[in-house]
Amino acid sequence: MLELLSENRSFGGLHRRYRHPSSELNGPATLAVYLPPQALAGERVPALYWLSGLTCTDENVMQKGGAHRLAAELGLALVAPDTSPRGAEVPTDPEGGWDLGQGAGFYVDATQAPWDRHYRMHSYVVEELPALLEAELPLAPARSISGHSMGGHGALVAALRHPGRYRSVSAFAPICHPAACPWGRKAFGAYLGPDPRAWAGWDATLLIPDAAERLPLLVDQGSADPFLDTQLRPADLAAAAEAAGHPLQLRLQEGYDHSYFFIASFIDDHLRHHAAALRAPG
Amino acid sequence: MLELLSENRSFGGLHRRYRHPSSELNGPATLAVYLPPQALAGERVPALYWLSGLTCTDENVMQKGGAHRLAAELGLALVAPDTSPRGAEVPTDPEGGWDLGQGAGFYVDATQAPWDRHYRMHSYVVEELPALLEAELPLAPARSISGHSMGGHGALVAALRHPGRYRSVSAFAPICHPAACPWGRKAFGAYLGPDPRAWAGWDATLLIPDAAERLPLLVDQGSADPFLDTQLRPADLAAAAEAAGHPLQLRLQEGYDHSYFFIASFIDDHLRHHAAALRAPG
């Protein structure tokens, strides 16, 4: 099922890009996996899923995230899916924007035509992809999830919707309250329809009050991020967490922006956070 | 003189891109500098110059090299020039290749028309750029040099031609003997003319026998690098070093290729090598 596209040795492990047919996405999907040295030595290793932001592919975090070094040391696999379905027959933004359609799947399961034929990134990331990878690669069924911006939103929502599925969750500059920001409203309006009541199940700030599991949330946010107040709205998440008594560690990182320089600067903290949960007795 | 184009906080320091008018390149030049936290706190820090390979710009190593983390810890600035002059009036390869002209300056001072009006990357990197940066930024006049592929060649040649100028030198997968490989013959033939006698001063393997300073060379080379035998020829460098008694540590890294995954995997070793020399009493 997994077709190997390329392979690079990295920190004693292997960075691999794969393609495979996806039933959720109704077409081919591309992704990258970093297998640490422990996996090459025969161990089944736990996996950290990384969801990227708008316009990204699997390549951004693998090339710019600086995560391989410590993942190799900690024995963590890294899994980086694409940010949407792709292909000539996959719909794109009719307005030509980069914030809807290909590269902007928002990690939801679309219910509206024409999006619903391919845009099922949530079920792809949460169900189909782990099942495939754990069947074909030396990955243990111990998973954590993180991501950046749109992908930080995706990670928080995946963990909040599926109690027990992830050992830990974190996010960098997540879109915390998509139902209340321009990016989220545009995407949710298209994928989920105009009624905001259909959006609540896909919004971390709105999911927190009813979360069945109090999995602690680790969130890093740069203070110089140009999207902080308009699109990301971490204060909304913090208010919801406080009201619900949901554990949240929100760290405002002074002077950092929205780039991968910010992510690389703090990725080690997140890897250690996830490794502690993934390596604990299951 | 230095015009700031962009700035990102990274590991407590700053990644900055600058443009400035270059007399050697006879036009504008773009570069990146990583200033570690120590420089922001008022210290004048030593600098590691990084020369990139064919088709690259300053962005490759800064985004994919994984060097900021340890540079911040060691208090090293990183300087990444472009790989050639750029601009509409700067000549390019008449055959349309990516191995001559813009993105492929080969760190020589061209003597042949039309290249000689702009292609003076050697003097730019060795003379003009350090003088400018040490005048305008908190950089100490303590320099080391490294690079990748074409830039590894550039680093070795810069150090071998200028005894005393660099505290240390290293390279990743350098073009060790450009006078004897297709990339080097094409570029040197254009920039320096068809007579190979004009090439000897720009070829690390040919410079070693007469080197006035026995600065140790640290070279990492991946065993799975597709360019190893045809273009890079580290065995030629090793033979010259052995014959001349020039100290060379050539490490063949099993399974690694020519990518930045290879560089990131071993950049820490190189940073420590340079920091030891740069931080030693001058």
Side-chain angles (χ1 to χ4, degrees), chain B residues 126-143:
Chain B
V126 170
E127 306 280 357
E128 183 182 6
L129 187 57
L132 173 66
L133 296 182
E134 289 160 25
E136 299 208 11
L137 297 176
L139 300 188
R143 310 166 203 105

mmCIF file of all heavy atoms in Angstrom, chain B residues 126-143:
data_model
loop_
_atom_site.group_PDB
_atom_site.id
_atom_site.type_symbol
_atom_site.label_atom_id
_atom_site.label_comp_id
_atom_site.label_asym_id
_atom_site.label_seq_id
_atom_site.Cartn_x
_atom_site.Cartn_y
_atom_site.Cartn_z
ATOM 1 N N VAL B 126 35.817 36.582 1.050
ATOM 2 C CA VAL B 126 37.023 36.592 1.888
ATOM 3 C C VAL B 126 37.348 38.004 2.387
ATOM 4 O O VAL B 126 37.819 38.164 3.512
ATOM 5 C CB VAL B 126 38.213 35.984 1.099
ATOM 6 C CG1 VAL B 126 39.528 36.193 1.837
ATOM 7 C CG2 VAL B 126 37.967 34.506 0.832
ATOM 8 N N GLU B 127 37.098 39.010 1.557
ATOM 9 C CA GLU B 127 37.529 40.375 1.910
ATOM 10 C C GLU B 127 36.355 41.316 2.189
ATOM 11 O O GLU B 127 36.223 41.869 3.271
ATOM 12 C CB GLU B 127 38.363 40.987 0.756
ATOM 13 C CG GLU B 127 39.534 40.147 0.315
ATOM 14 C CD GLU B 127 40.740 40.295 1.232
ATOM 15 O OE1 GLU B 127 40.680 41.091 2.188
ATOM 16 O OE2 GLU B 127 41.750 39.586 0.985
ATOM 17 N N GLU B 128 35.514 41.505 1.176
ATOM 18 C CA GLU B 128 34.525 42.578 1.265
ATOM 19 C C GLU B 128 33.482 42.309 2.350
ATOM 20 O O GLU B 128 33.155 43.190 3.157
ATOM 21 C CB GLU B 128 33.822 42.772 -0.093
ATOM 22 C CG GLU B 128 32.830 43.936 -0.075
ATOM 23 C CD GLU B 128 32.079 44.114 -1.391
ATOM 24 O OE1 GLU B 128 32.235 43.269 -2.296
ATOM 25 O OE2 GLU B 128 31.339 45.113 -1.497
ATOM 26 N N LEU B 129 32.949 41.111 2.361
ATOM 27 C CA LEU B 129 31.851 40.823 3.284
ATOM 28 C C LEU B 129 32.282 40.863 4.756
ATOM 29 O O LEU B 129 31.606 41.505 5.574
ATOM 30 C CB LEU B 129 31.202 39.490 2.911
ATOM 31 C CG LEU B 129 29.938 39.115 3.679
ATOM 32 C CD1 LEU B 129 28.859 40.178 3.534
ATOM 33 C CD2 LEU B 129 29.412 37.765 3.185
ATOM 34 N N PRO B 130 33.400 40.222 5.121
ATOM 35 C CA PRO B 130 33.811 40.326 6.539
ATOM 36 C C PRO B 130 34.070 41.771 6.961
ATOM 37 O O PRO B 130 33.702 42.160 8.085
ATOM 38 C CB PRO B 130 35.094 39.487 6.595
ATOM 39 C CG PRO B 130 35.002 38.566 5.427
ATOM 40 C CD PRO B 130 34.248 39.298 4.361
ATOM 41 N N ALA B 131 34.686 42.550 6.103
ATOM 42 C CA ALA B 131 34.967 43.945 6.474
ATOM 43 C C ALA B 131 33.664 44.693 6.736
ATOM 44 O O ALA B 131 33.543 45.450 7.714
ATOM 45 C CB ALA B 131 35.766 44.627 5.355
ATOM 46 N N LEU B 132 32.684 44.471 5.876
ATOM 47 C CA LEU B 132 31.393 45.136 6.047
ATOM 48 C C LEU B 132 30.689 44.677 7.322
ATOM 49 O O LEU B 132 30.219 45.497 8.130
ATOM 50 C CB LEU B 132 30.516 44.833 4.828
ATOM 51 C CG LEU B 132 29.064 45.306 4.897
ATOM 52 C CD1 LEU B 132 28.992 46.823 4.926
ATOM 53 C CD2 LEU B 132 28.263 44.754 3.714
ATOM 54 N N LEU B 133 30.626 43.381 7.521
ATOM 55 C CA LEU B 133 29.874 42.850 8.660
ATOM 56 C C LEU B 133 30.546 43.207 9.981
ATOM 57 O O LEU B 133 29.864 43.513 10.965
ATOM 58 C CB LEU B 133 29.718 41.332 8.533
ATOM 59 C CG LEU B 133 28.905 40.843 7.330
ATOM 60 C CD1 LEU B 133 28.795 39.324 7.350
ATOM 61 C CD2 LEU B 133 27.522 41.481 7.273
ATOM 62 N N GLU B 134 31.870 43.184 10.006
ATOM 63 C CA GLU B 134 32.560 43.512 11.258
ATOM 64 C C GLU B 134 32.468 45.002 11.572
ATOM 65 O O GLU B 134 32.580 45.405 12.730
ATOM 66 C CB GLU B 134 34.019 43.023 11.191
ATOM 67 C CG GLU B 134 34.082 41.504 11.266
ATOM 68 C CD GLU B 134 35.387 40.894 10.747
ATOM 69 O OE1 GLU B 134 36.425 41.594 10.760
ATOM 70 O OE2 GLU B 134 35.359 39.723 10.330
ATOM 71 N N ALA B 135 32.220 45.818 10.546
ATOM 72 C CA ALA B 135 32.017 47.252 10.789
ATOM 73 C C ALA B 135 30.603 47.545 11.276
ATOM 74 O O ALA B 135 30.393 48.441 12.084
ATOM 75 C CB ALA B 135 32.303 48.038 9.501
ATOM 76 N N GLU B 136 29.636 46.775 10.805
ATOM 77 C CA GLU B 136 28.235 47.138 11.063
ATOM 78 C C GLU B 136 27.525 46.247 12.072
ATOM 79 O O GLU B 136 26.441 46.589 12.540
ATOM 80 C CB GLU B 136 27.452 47.145 9.737
ATOM 81 C CG GLU B 136 28.020 48.178 8.751
ATOM 82 C CD GLU B 136 26.975 48.703 7.782
ATOM 83 O OE1 GLU B 136 25.776 48.451 7.980
ATOM 84 O OE2 GLU B 136 27.385 49.372 6.827
ATOM 85 N N LEU B 137 28.075 45.086 12.371
ATOM 86 C CA LEU B 137 27.417 44.158 13.300
ATOM 87 C C LEU B 137 28.374 43.815 14.449
ATOM 88 O O LEU B 137 29.582 43.998 14.326
ATOM 89 C CB LEU B 137 27.010 42.869 12.563
ATOM 90 C CG LEU B 137 25.983 43.025 11.441
ATOM 91 C CD1 LEU B 137 25.755 41.692 10.747
ATOM 92 C CD2 LEU B 137 24.668 43.577 11.983
ATOM 93 N N PRO B 138 27.850 43.303 15.548
ATOM 94 C CA PRO B 138 28.717 42.968 16.693
ATOM 95 C C PRO B 138 29.497 41.670 16.459
ATOM 96 O O PRO B 138 29.346 40.703 17.203
ATOM 97 C CB PRO B 138 27.735 42.857 17.858
ATOM 98 C CG PRO B 138 26.448 42.467 17.225
ATOM 99 C CD PRO B 138 26.417 43.134 15.882
ATOM 100 N N LEU B 139 30.314 41.663 15.391
ATOM 101 C CA LEU B 139 31.131 40.495 15.071
ATOM 102 C C LEU B 139 32.585 40.789 15.384
ATOM 103 O O LEU B 139 33.123 41.829 14.970
ATOM 104 C CB LEU B 139 31.007 40.125 13.587
ATOM 105 C CG LEU B 139 29.622 39.776 13.062
ATOM 106 C CD1 LEU B 139 29.730 39.248 11.634
ATOM 107 C CD2 LEU B 139 28.927 38.764 13.960
ATOM 108 N N ALA B 140 33.223 39.859 16.080
ATOM 109 C CA ALA B 140 34.662 39.950 16.318
ATOM 110 C C ALA B 140 35.403 39.569 15.033
ATOM 111 O O ALA B 140 34.854 38.853 14.185
ATOM 112 C CB ALA B 140 35.045 39.005 17.453
ATOM 113 N N PRO B 141 36.646 40.012 14.866
ATOM 114 C CA PRO B 141 37.404 39.624 13.669
ATOM 115 C C PRO B 141 38.006 38.229 13.806
ATOM 116 O O PRO B 141 39.157 38.000 13.444
ATOM 117 C CB PRO B 141 38.479 40.717 13.580
ATOM 118 C CG PRO B 141 38.699 41.124 14.990
ATOM 119 C CD PRO B 141 37.372 40.986 15.694
ATOM 120 N N ALA B 142 37.229 37.304 14.307
ATOM 121 C CA ALA B 142 37.648 35.903 14.416
ATOM 122 C C ALA B 142 36.693 35.108 13.553
ATOM 123 O O ALA B 142 35.487 35.091 13.813
ATOM 124 C CB ALA B 142 37.580 35.432 15.866
ATOM 125 N N ARG B 143 37.236 34.467 12.497
ATOM 126 C CA ARG B 143 36.392 33.848 11.464
ATOM 127 C C ARG B 143 36.792 32.408 11.230
ATOM 128 O O ARG B 143 37.967 32.068 11.254
ATOM 129 C CB ARG B 143 36.557 34.596 10.139
ATOM 130 C CG ARG B 143 36.399 36.076 10.240
ATOM 131 C CD ARG B 143 36.903 36.778 8.986
ATOM 132 N NE ARG B 143 37.251 38.157 9.304
ATOM 133 C CZ ARG B 143 38.483 38.605 9.427
ATOM 134 N NH1 ARG B 143 39.526 37.795 9.230
ATOM 135 N NH2 ARG B 143 38.701 39.876 9.743
#
